[in-house]
Amino acid sequence: MEEDVVDSKEHGKGVIDLVLFSILAGSVGIFVKLTNGMNAISIVFFRAFIATLFILLVVIFKKKHRDLKLVFPMHTLFIGVLQGLSIYFYFNSMLITSVSNAVFLLYTAPIFAPILAKIFLKEEIERETIFGIVITLVGIGFILDPRTFSFNSSQTVGNLMALAAGLFYAWMAISSKTLLRKVSGYYAVFWQYLVIAITFLTLAGPDVFTNVLPNLWQLTTIGVVCTGIAFILFMRGVKKVKANKVFIITSIEPIVGVVLASFILREKLTMFTVIGAVIIFIGVYTVTKKKAFTPYYIRKKRYLNKLGILGGMGPGVTAEFYMDVIKKCRKGNVKTKYNSDYPHIIISSVPVPDGHMWEDFDEKLVTKILKSECRSLEYQLCDFIVCPSNPVDYFIKKIRSSIDIPMISISEEVGKHVLEKKYHTVGLLGTKFIVKSKVYDFLLFKHDINLLKPNKKEQERLNEIITNVVAGKRLESDKKDLLKIIDRQKKLGVQAVILGSTEFPLLISQKDTSAKLIDTMEILADATSKNLIKKQYKIHRSINESFV
């Protein structure tokens, strides 16, 4: 019940963030209209320049400056140009036509997305989408007002510019999809606005600084409040609110713009504009609403979570872990009478370049690969991720910071087991990397538990044993030497021995020794099978990290 309350509170905070975003973003037209003696090019430059500085300061304060490292420069440049054109036409339309017309016509952007996808990506347009586009076009016709339509009219030119803004915004949104899967939101907004600032400074020339001081407060508000702060609120909100609800909440953005324009600028809405706006809302909703694809196993067994396994380290362990999870499902709360009763599991077997036993590897490269694979599992709609590899726990904080779904930590689950058993002295066996990286040292520092590690000679032998198992060799000599090391730790007073390499259970089992073994793979499999039941799985990332 408490976890449900936590989720509800987080959702509520997300809704508030999105509402505040809509208010701030929707008010941008007011401040554009309040500028005096400045053209659209100058306003776009200062918005982008101020927003870039603001985001840079936020990133430095949050110590996320590494997120801004330039990657995919041509793709980033292209998206920045498209966003710049969208903002330019939008601001120009506001200076020529009414704010209400500009915001409602910009809001037609979603209808351009399937059309552009058809042209450039050869994607089919569904019948319902075509219907939504037709409805939206009818709404556009009302706002353009055929009674006064004329290309010689500034009102008509402003309306067409707003439509152009929507077109370029949709183009930008489609083009940025693949990039946003690889970079953070801070990267996207920083480089977009930096590109825009440089581009429009070049277009404006020295005249860009004309009338800046009289309009300084308007420009600062546009750059900091309506762009920088609004972006941060949006970033926070979308992490806490389901995607299908984000559209509904943020749809108040154009309404905010129109209401503020009515009260502050004394703009009057025509009946044609109101009718057109309502029709556009209906059309855009028809285009953007998605029929949720629900796989058969979810329709039949809604209580099961979808599991992502980050495997391949090594392959034999991954295969064994998968079967352990299945076996525990059979013995646990999951009824597995038919094939359709089993959980949906996606295995990503990653050939990580970990050098020799994680002793000689490129940490940045490995981190990038692990984060990328976990994001891939998230994109495949996994509810949570596990990795049956102890060394990966060295990277887990960085991985968790890059995804919005929980990742269960093997070392944290082992730590919980040690505390439950009330052990005060435990041994640790694993690769040299596991011992040196101090993945399990939190047991000692946080919970006052003695941790006995292997000596230098034993460590070298353990590395040889693990190497053999990874290569598919299960030698009797390796088994005997491993049991000798365990026996020595038992004589030194350990109450249990942590098998800090998931290769060890492939070689020995509890029946081979009188010493108590802590099988890390079995503990992780047990935690995984329990968390497959949705009613038992309400883990937020902060709760995930609370143990350490």
Side-chain angles (χ1 to χ4, degrees):
M1 178 64 85
E2 289 180 0
E3 291 167 343
D4 288 335
V5 171
V6 171
D7 285 352
S8 179
K9 285 182 178 179
E10 289 299 311
H11 179 269
K13 290 178 182 177
V15 171
I16 293 172
D17 285 338
L18 291 175
V19 170
L20 291 174
F21 157 77
S22 300
I23 293 171
L24 297 183
S27 64
V28 67
I30 306 302
F31 297 102
V32 171
K33 280 280 195 180
L34 290 175
T35 58
N36 291 302
M38 296 189 74
N39 58 29
I41 292 178
S42 298
I43 300 172
V44 172
F45 163 72
F46 280 104
R47 178 194 190 180
F49 177 70
I50 294 170
T52 302
L53 290 180
F54 179 79
I55 293 298
L56 180 61
L57 291 174
V58 171
V59 168
I60 292 173
F61 177 76
K62 290 193 166 190
K63 297 181 180 179
K64 292 188 177 235
H65 52 279
R66 290 182 181 177
D67 287 1
L68 301 186
K69 182 180 178 181
L70 182 61
V71 292
F72 313 108
M74 295 307 296
H75 196 169
T76 302
L77 174 65
F78 181 63
I79 292 169
V81 170
L82 291 177
Q83 176 78 320
L85 288 170
S86 174
I87 296 173
Y88 169 72
F89 282 114
Y90 185 44
F91 282 9
N92 234 330
S93 71
M94 286 193 211
L95 295 174
I96 299 174
T97 187
S98 65
V99 171
S100 56
N101 280 19
V103 296
F104 285 138
L105 291 173
L106 174 71
Y107 196 68
T108 62
I111 75 162
F112 293 111
I115 297 173
L116 291 170
K118 172 68 175 177
I119 296 171
F120 295 107
L121 304 178
K122 307 302 180 184
E123 292 183 1
E124 292 299 320
I125 303 178
E126 296 178 356
R127 185 180 301 176
E128 190 173 0
T129 301
I130 295 174
F131 181 61
I133 292 173
V134 171
I135 294 174
T136 306
L137 290 175
V138 173
I140 292 172
F142 272 90
I143 291 182
L144 293 179
D145 196 346
R147 300 173 303 172
T148 59
F149 184 86
S150 170
F151 285 108
N152 295 322
S153 165
S154 60
Q155 179 86 352
T156 300
V157 173
N159 290 339
L160 293 176
M161 282 189 169
L163 284 174
L167 171 64
F168 281 109
Y169 185 84
W171 195 352
M172 181 276 298
I174 288 176
S175 302
S176 63
K177 274 186 177 182
T178 54
L179 182 66
L180 289 174
R181 291 174 182 171
K182 304 170 186 175
V183 300
S184 70
Y186 287 112
Y187 173 95
V189 74
F190 174 80
W191 285 106
Q192 273 184 16
Y193 281 109
L194 182 60
V195 169
I196 293 169
I198 294 172
T199 303
F200 280 80
L201 176 62
T202 305
L203 292 173
D207 294 338
V208 73
F209 297 102
T210 305
N211 295 323
V212 171
L213 289 179
N215 294 289
L216 187 60
W217 74 270
Q218 296 98 315
L219 297 173
T220 303
T221 304
I222 292 170
V224 175
V225 179
C226 301
T227 307
I229 295 176
F231 160 75
I232 292 172
L233 289 169
F234 182 78
M235 286 277 289
R236 287 195 328 196
V238 294
K239 289 181 178 180
K240 301 171 185 175
V241 178
K242 290 184 178 180
N244 61 338
K245 292 184 179 179
V246 171
F247 168 78
I248 297 171
I249 297 169
T250 56
S251 64
I252 68 171
E253 180 185 338
I255 298 173
V256 169
V258 171
V259 171
L260 290 177
S262 178
F263 280 97
I264 298 174
L265 303 178
R266 301 298 178 184
E267 287 188 358
K268 293 183 178 179
L269 286 173
T270 66
M271 183 58 66
F272 268 66
T273 299
V274 173
I275 295 172
V278 172
I279 296 174
I280 285 174
F281 270 106
I282 296 171
V284 169
Y285 176 74
T286 303
V287 171
T288 55
K289 75 173 182 177
K290 294 181 179 179
K291 292 180 179 178
F293 170 71
T294 307
Y296 175 77
Y297 83 96
I298 292 180
R299 296 199 299 268
K300 185 174 176 62
K301 298 290 180 183
R302 291 182 181 275
Y303 61 86
L304 291 182
N305 277 307
K306 185 175 180 180
L307 168 64
I309 298 177
L310 180 63
M313 299 160 277
V317 168
T318 303
E320 192 73 23
F321 177 76
Y322 169 78
M323 288 310 303
D324 281 353
V325 171
I326 295 300
K327 289 173 184 176
K328 288 184 180 295
C329 286
R330 289 170 179 163
K331 294 178 181 179
N333 297 325
V334 179
K335 297 178 181 179
T336 53
K337 185 177 180 181
Y338 303 106
N339 189 55
S340 59
D341 294 328
Y342 287 94
H344 191 167
I345 300 176
I346 295 179
I347 300 175
S348 177
S349 187
V350 191
V352 175
D354 55 3
H356 178 64
M357 303 309 299
W358 296 87
E359 291 182 24
D360 180 24
F361 68 98
D362 185 336
E363 185 172 332
K364 288 185 178 179
L365 176 61
V366 171
T367 303
K368 184 177 180 180
I369 291 172
L370 295 175
K371 289 167 68 173
S372 175
E373 288 301 319
C374 286
R375 282 197 291 265
S376 176
L377 290 170
E378 180 180 9
Y379 296 146
Q380 294 178 76
L381 304 180
C382 291
D383 292 296
F384 69 108
I385 298 171
V386 297
C387 180
S389 172
N390 285 274
V392 171
D393 260 31
Y394 174 76
F395 307 90
I396 197 163
K397 286 188 177 180
K398 292 180 180 178
I399 295 173
R400 282 173 171 170
S401 68
S402 69
I403 56 178
D404 292 319
I405 58 175
M407 181 173 184
I408 297 178
S409 160
I410 190 170
S411 62
E412 289 173 15
E413 293 302 321
V414 170
K416 293 173 187 177
H417 175 80
V418 170
L419 291 178
E420 287 171 3
K421 295 295 183 180
K422 298 182 180 179
Y423 294 139
H424 54 76
T425 303
V426 294
L428 173 64
L429 303 181
T431 62
K432 186 177 180 181
F433 175 77
I434 279 292
V435 175
K436 280 195 170 185
S437 63
K438 301 180 179 180
V439 169
Y440 282 96
D441 281 30
F442 68 88
L443 293 169
L444 175 64
F445 299 124
K446 293 287 184 180
H447 305 289
D448 197 27
I449 295 170
N450 296 314
L451 195 62
L452 182 63
K453 300 178 181 179
N455 58 39
K456 185 177 180 180
K457 186 178 179 181
E458 289 173 337
Q459 188 60 67
E460 289 176 357
R461 183 66 182 114
L462 289 172
N463 275 17
E464 291 174 0
I465 293 171
I466 295 169
T467 302
N468 288 336
V469 176
V470 171
K473 301 175 183 177
R474 303 186 187 185
L475 306 177
E476 190 63 29
S477 57
D478 289 344
K479 180 177 180 179
K480 288 180 180 179
D481 287 347
L482 179 57
L483 291 172
K484 283 181 183 179
I485 296 171
I486 291 172
D487 187 57
R488 189 189 75 85
Q489 287 201 342
K490 182 185 177 185
K491 289 177 181 179
L492 290 174
V494 301
Q495 296 168 290
V497 178
I498 298 173
L499 300 182
S501 170
T502 45
E503 275 75 21
F504 290 151
L506 302 182
L507 200 61
I508 63 170
S509 63
Q510 185 61 69
K511 66 181 181 181
D512 295 316
T513 177
S514 58
K516 291 184 179 178
L517 301 180
I518 300 176
D519 185 339
T520 56
M521 185 163 69
E522 183 181 358
I523 288 174
L524 182 63
D526 189 55
T528 301
S529 63
K530 289 178 181 177
N531 289 323
L532 283 168
I533 310 299
K534 281 196 172 183
K535 64 181 180 181
Q536 295 178 353
Y537 190 72
K538 294 278 186 179
I539 297 179
H540 188 270
R541 188 179 299 141
S542 60
I543 298 174
N544 242 358
E545 296 177 352
S546 63
F547 182 76
V548 294

Short mmCIF file of all heavy atoms in Angstrom, two decimals, residues 317-339:
data_model
loop_
_atom_site.label_atom_id
_atom_site.label_comp_id
_atom_site.label_asym_id
_atom_site.label_seq_id
_atom_site.Cartn_x
_atom_site.Cartn_y
_atom_site.Cartn_z
N VAL A 317 26.64 -18.98 -18.27
CA VAL A 317 25.97 -18.49 -17.07
C VAL A 317 24.59 -17.93 -17.42
O VAL A 317 23.60 -18.18 -16.72
CB VAL A 317 26.82 -17.39 -16.38
CG1 VAL A 317 26.01 -16.67 -15.31
CG2 VAL A 317 28.07 -18.01 -15.78
N THR A 318 24.52 -17.20 -18.53
CA THR A 318 23.24 -16.62 -18.96
C THR A 318 22.21 -17.70 -19.22
O THR A 318 21.05 -17.59 -18.80
CB THR A 318 23.44 -15.77 -20.23
OG1 THR A 318 24.42 -14.76 -19.97
CG2 THR A 318 22.14 -15.11 -20.65
N ALA A 319 22.62 -18.75 -19.91
CA ALA A 319 21.71 -19.86 -20.21
C ALA A 319 21.25 -20.54 -18.93
O ALA A 319 20.05 -20.86 -18.77
CB ALA A 319 22.40 -20.86 -21.13
N GLU A 320 22.17 -20.76 -18.01
CA GLU A 320 21.83 -21.40 -16.74
C GLU A 320 20.91 -20.53 -15.91
O GLU A 320 19.97 -21.01 -15.28
CB GLU A 320 23.12 -21.70 -15.96
CG GLU A 320 22.94 -22.61 -14.77
CD GLU A 320 22.69 -24.05 -15.16
OE1 GLU A 320 23.07 -24.46 -16.28
OE2 GLU A 320 22.10 -24.79 -14.34
N PHE A 321 21.18 -19.22 -15.92
CA PHE A 321 20.36 -18.28 -15.15
C PHE A 321 18.93 -18.27 -15.67
O PHE A 321 17.97 -18.26 -14.90
CB PHE A 321 20.96 -16.87 -15.22
CG PHE A 321 20.13 -15.82 -14.53
CD1 PHE A 321 20.12 -15.72 -13.14
CD2 PHE A 321 19.34 -14.94 -15.25
CE1 PHE A 321 19.36 -14.77 -12.50
CE2 PHE A 321 18.57 -13.98 -14.62
CZ PHE A 321 18.58 -13.89 -13.24
N TYR A 322 18.78 -18.27 -17.00
CA TYR A 322 17.44 -18.29 -17.61
C TYR A 322 16.65 -19.50 -17.12
O TYR A 322 15.49 -19.38 -16.72
CB TYR A 322 17.57 -18.31 -19.13
CG TYR A 322 16.26 -18.60 -19.84
CD1 TYR A 322 15.29 -17.60 -19.99
CD2 TYR A 322 16.00 -19.87 -20.35
CE1 TYR A 322 14.09 -17.87 -20.63
CE2 TYR A 322 14.81 -20.14 -20.99
CZ TYR A 322 13.86 -19.15 -21.13
OH TYR A 322 12.67 -19.42 -21.75
N MET A 323 17.29 -20.65 -17.12
CA MET A 323 16.60 -21.87 -16.68
C MET A 323 16.32 -21.82 -15.17
O MET A 323 15.28 -22.33 -14.72
CB MET A 323 17.45 -23.10 -17.01
CG MET A 323 17.49 -23.43 -18.49
SD MET A 323 15.84 -23.50 -19.26
CE MET A 323 15.01 -24.73 -18.26
N ASP A 324 17.21 -21.20 -14.40
CA ASP A 324 16.96 -21.06 -12.96
C ASP A 324 15.70 -20.23 -12.71
O ASP A 324 14.89 -20.55 -11.83
CB ASP A 324 18.16 -20.39 -12.28
CG ASP A 324 19.31 -21.36 -12.04
OD1 ASP A 324 19.11 -22.56 -12.28
OD2 ASP A 324 20.39 -20.90 -11.61
N VAL A 325 15.56 -19.14 -13.47
CA VAL A 325 14.37 -18.29 -13.32
C VAL A 325 13.11 -19.08 -13.67
O VAL A 325 12.10 -19.01 -12.96
CB VAL A 325 14.48 -17.03 -14.21
CG1 VAL A 325 13.17 -16.25 -14.22
CG2 VAL A 325 15.62 -16.14 -13.73
N ILE A 326 13.17 -19.83 -14.76
CA ILE A 326 12.01 -20.63 -15.18
C ILE A 326 11.66 -21.67 -14.11
O ILE A 326 10.48 -21.86 -13.77
CB ILE A 326 12.30 -21.32 -16.53
CG1 ILE A 326 12.47 -20.29 -17.64
CG2 ILE A 326 11.18 -22.29 -16.88
CD1 ILE A 326 11.28 -19.39 -17.87
N LYS A 327 12.68 -22.35 -13.57
CA LYS A 327 12.44 -23.36 -12.53
C LYS A 327 11.81 -22.74 -11.30
O LYS A 327 10.91 -23.32 -10.68
CB LYS A 327 13.75 -24.05 -12.16
CG LYS A 327 14.29 -24.97 -13.25
CD LYS A 327 15.67 -25.49 -12.89
CE LYS A 327 16.25 -26.34 -14.03
NZ LYS A 327 17.65 -26.77 -13.73
N LYS A 328 12.28 -21.54 -10.93
CA LYS A 328 11.73 -20.88 -9.73
C LYS A 328 10.30 -20.41 -9.98
O LYS A 328 9.49 -20.35 -9.06
CB LYS A 328 12.63 -19.73 -9.32
CG LYS A 328 13.94 -20.20 -8.71
CD LYS A 328 14.79 -19.05 -8.20
CE LYS A 328 16.09 -19.60 -7.60
NZ LYS A 328 15.84 -20.43 -6.40
N CYS A 329 10.00 -20.06 -11.25
CA CYS A 329 8.61 -19.71 -11.58
C CYS A 329 7.70 -20.92 -11.39
O CYS A 329 6.58 -20.81 -10.88
CB CYS A 329 8.52 -19.21 -13.02
SG CYS A 329 9.17 -17.56 -13.28
N ARG A 330 8.19 -22.09 -11.79
CA ARG A 330 7.40 -23.31 -11.67
C ARG A 330 7.13 -23.65 -10.20
O ARG A 330 6.06 -24.14 -9.85
CB ARG A 330 8.13 -24.47 -12.33
CG ARG A 330 8.18 -24.39 -13.84
CD ARG A 330 9.12 -25.42 -14.41
NE ARG A 330 9.15 -25.38 -15.88
CZ ARG A 330 10.11 -25.94 -16.60
NH1 ARG A 330 11.11 -26.57 -16.01
NH2 ARG A 330 10.07 -25.85 -17.92
N LYS A 331 8.11 -23.38 -9.36
CA LYS A 331 7.97 -23.72 -7.94
C LYS A 331 7.29 -22.61 -7.15
O LYS A 331 6.83 -22.82 -6.04
CB LYS A 331 9.35 -23.98 -7.34
CG LYS A 331 10.04 -25.21 -7.91
CD LYS A 331 11.43 -25.37 -7.29
CE LYS A 331 12.15 -26.58 -7.87
NZ LYS A 331 13.51 -26.73 -7.29
N GLY A 332 7.25 -21.40 -7.72
CA GLY A 332 6.74 -20.24 -6.99
C GLY A 332 5.29 -19.93 -7.26
O GLY A 332 4.46 -20.83 -7.43
N ASN A 333 5.00 -18.61 -7.35
CA ASN A 333 3.61 -18.15 -7.46
C ASN A 333 3.08 -18.11 -8.89
O ASN A 333 1.90 -17.85 -9.11
CB ASN A 333 3.49 -16.75 -6.85
CG ASN A 333 3.80 -16.76 -5.37
OD1 ASN A 333 3.50 -17.72 -4.68
ND2 ASN A 333 4.43 -15.69 -4.89
N VAL A 334 3.97 -18.34 -9.88
CA VAL A 334 3.53 -18.30 -11.27
C VAL A 334 3.03 -19.68 -11.69
O VAL A 334 3.76 -20.66 -11.62
CB VAL A 334 4.68 -17.86 -12.21
CG1 VAL A 334 4.21 -17.84 -13.65
CG2 VAL A 334 5.21 -16.50 -11.79
N LYS A 335 1.77 -19.74 -12.09
CA LYS A 335 1.21 -21.02 -12.54
C LYS A 335 1.67 -21.29 -13.97
O LYS A 335 1.37 -20.53 -14.87
CB LYS A 335 -0.32 -20.98 -12.46
CG LYS A 335 -0.84 -20.80 -11.04
CD LYS A 335 -2.36 -20.72 -11.02
CE LYS A 335 -2.87 -20.52 -9.60
NZ LYS A 335 -4.35 -20.40 -9.57
N THR A 336 2.40 -22.37 -14.15
CA THR A 336 3.01 -22.65 -15.46
C THR A 336 2.49 -23.95 -16.05
O THR A 336 3.24 -24.87 -16.33
CB THR A 336 4.54 -22.70 -15.33
OG1 THR A 336 4.87 -23.63 -14.28
CG2 THR A 336 5.11 -21.35 -14.99
N LYS A 337 1.19 -24.02 -16.21
CA LYS A 337 0.60 -25.22 -16.79
C LYS A 337 0.77 -25.24 -18.30
O LYS A 337 1.02 -26.29 -18.90
CB LYS A 337 -0.89 -25.29 -16.43
CG LYS A 337 -1.57 -26.58 -16.88
CD LYS A 337 -3.03 -26.61 -16.42
CE LYS A 337 -3.72 -27.90 -16.88
NZ LYS A 337 -5.13 -27.94 -16.46
N TYR A 338 0.64 -24.07 -18.94
CA TYR A 338 0.74 -23.98 -20.39
C TYR A 338 1.90 -23.07 -20.79
O TYR A 338 2.39 -22.28 -19.98
CB TYR A 338 -0.57 -23.44 -20.99
CG TYR A 338 -1.79 -24.27 -20.64
CD1 TYR A 338 -2.71 -23.80 -19.72
CD2 TYR A 338 -1.99 -25.52 -21.22
CE1 TYR A 338 -3.82 -24.56 -19.38
CE2 TYR A 338 -3.10 -26.28 -20.90
CZ TYR A 338 -4.02 -25.79 -19.96
OH TYR A 338 -5.09 -26.55 -19.63
N ASN A 339 2.30 -23.18 -22.04
CA ASN A 339 3.40 -22.35 -22.54
C ASN A 339 3.11 -20.86 -22.39
O ASN A 339 4.00 -20.06 -22.10
CB ASN A 339 3.66 -22.69 -24.02
CG ASN A 339 4.92 -22.03 -24.54
OD1 ASN A 339 5.99 -22.21 -23.98
ND2 ASN A 339 4.81 -21.26 -25.61
#
